[in-house]
Amino acid sequence: MTNRKVIDGYPFVEYQRILPSEHELISRTRDFFDLMNSRRSVRIFSTKPVPREVIENIVNTASTAPSGAHKQPWTFCIVSDPSLKSRIRLEAEKEEFENYHGRMGTEWMQDLRPFQTDWHKEFLEAAPYLIIVFRKAYDVGSDGVKRNNYYVHESVGIACGFLLAAIHYGGLVALTHTPSPMNFLARLLNRPANEKPYLLIPVGYPGSECFVPDLRRKPTNEIAAFYERS
């Protein structure tokens, strides 16, 4: 039975979890790193269907992320309708064409060359699902009163990290796509005024011939600084 208590009028439950041994802790964290280290951003998707329950499980995992004052300031819009995906692709390619033909500076364009990308975004139609993440700047109660959300960008960013990890753990691939500006997504999906598009993530299986850039990730000594007692 879970132990419960009330603190200053608010209910609390005792946190319970079986703690791993030091050996298990090292093994688990190494295994998870090895799994996540194999994650790649993919732009070539198969049209093979993905069960809806899989997507629901992935989104539910993302919703377990911490958020400011537990406001959970996110909405995950899940699009599988082919006609709507086509409209999203059309609008996204309009913005991307402008990006690749003037909006992005010389340095940015140079940095993108190893990825060999352009304004064409076929994956927006090929992927069986598009998950469009919206951040909620504030909530509106049933009484019509606005209620603040806190650390919205940070909270939604963490949730997206959980989402990407769940997608990879499940055996699927994804891409973080940010056609800027993204206001067309709110219009196409008829989202309320308190929701702003944050990230567009195609999800599915990799295509039969799927190549990704041969890149390296920075080693520990380039990404972390340890401050330990001497």
Side-chain angles (χ1 to χ4, degrees):
M1 178 179 292
T2 302
N3 293 326
R4 299 174 179 272
K5 67 189 306 184
V6 176
I7 302 176
D8 197 22
Y10 295 95
F12 282 72
V13 296
E14 183 179 13
Y15 178 73
Q16 295 181 338
R17 186 176 183 185
I18 298 175
L19 300 180
S21 67
E22 184 175 293
H23 173 76
E24 290 174 322
L25 191 60
I26 294 172
S27 178
R28 287 186 190 182
T29 53
R30 182 67 202 191
D31 288 347
F32 191 69
F33 165 70
D34 288 340
L35 171 69
M36 295 307 298
N37 198 34
S38 66
R39 187 207 60 79
R40 296 301 302 268
S41 295
V42 165
R43 291 174 171 82
I44 306 297
F45 285 82
S46 167
T47 58
K48 180 180 177 180
V50 172
R52 173 175 169 165
E53 185 178 0
V54 172
I55 302 301
E56 290 179 357
N57 291 338
I58 288 168
V59 169
N60 285 335
T61 298
S63 74
T64 69
S67 60
H70 195 54
K71 290 289 188 172
Q72 305 166 79
W74 45 64
T75 299
F76 301 92
C77 292
I78 301 157
V79 178
S80 60
D81 177 66
S83 63
L84 184 52
K85 288 195 295 180
S86 294
R87 290 164 63 195
I88 290 173
R89 176 186 175 183
L90 179 64
E91 296 281 353
E93 287 186 334
K94 286 180 181 178
E95 299 297 346
E96 291 290 71
F97 182 87
E98 296 297 328
N99 288 337
Y100 278 87
H101 293 83
R103 285 180 183 162
M104 295 189 294
T106 302
E107 182 179 0
W108 192 348
M109 292 292 291
Q110 186 67 27
D111 286 340
L112 286 175
R113 288 191 65 186
F115 302 94
Q116 290 296 291
T117 62
D118 60 24
W119 61 273
H120 297 93
K121 306 300 175 185
E122 296 90 346
F123 52 77
L124 293 175
E125 289 188 276
Y129 284 99
L130 304 179
I131 300 178
I132 299 97
V133 185
F134 285 81
R135 58 178 176 86
K136 299 173 73 174
Y138 55 90
D139 281 314
V140 181
S142 57
D143 54 4
V145 176
K146 292 183 179 180
R147 292 176 172 83
N148 290 332
N149 289 330
Y150 311 101
Y151 300 105
V152 173
H153 283 277
E154 295 86 346
S155 300
V156 178
I158 296 169
C160 288
F162 277 39
L163 183 72
L164 293 170
I167 290 168
H168 186 65
Y169 179 82
L172 301 176
V173 295
L175 174 70
T176 53
H177 184 45
T178 52
S180 182
M182 294 194 290
N183 295 331
F184 68 89
L185 291 168
R187 172 171 50 81
L188 289 178
L189 300 178
N190 195 30
R191 301 312 303 167
N194 64 322
E195 294 186 5
K196 303 298 180 184
Y198 187 86
L199 198 59
L200 169 56
I201 306 175
V203 181
Y205 295 99
S208 57
E209 287 196 15
C210 181
F211 288 84
V212 294
D214 186 8
L215 304 176
R216 64 174 285 274
R217 290 189 167 96
K218 294 179 179 180
T220 306
N221 68 315
E222 292 186 24
I223 65 167
F226 290 86
Y227 296 83
E228 300 174 309
R229 179 180 295 179
S230 59

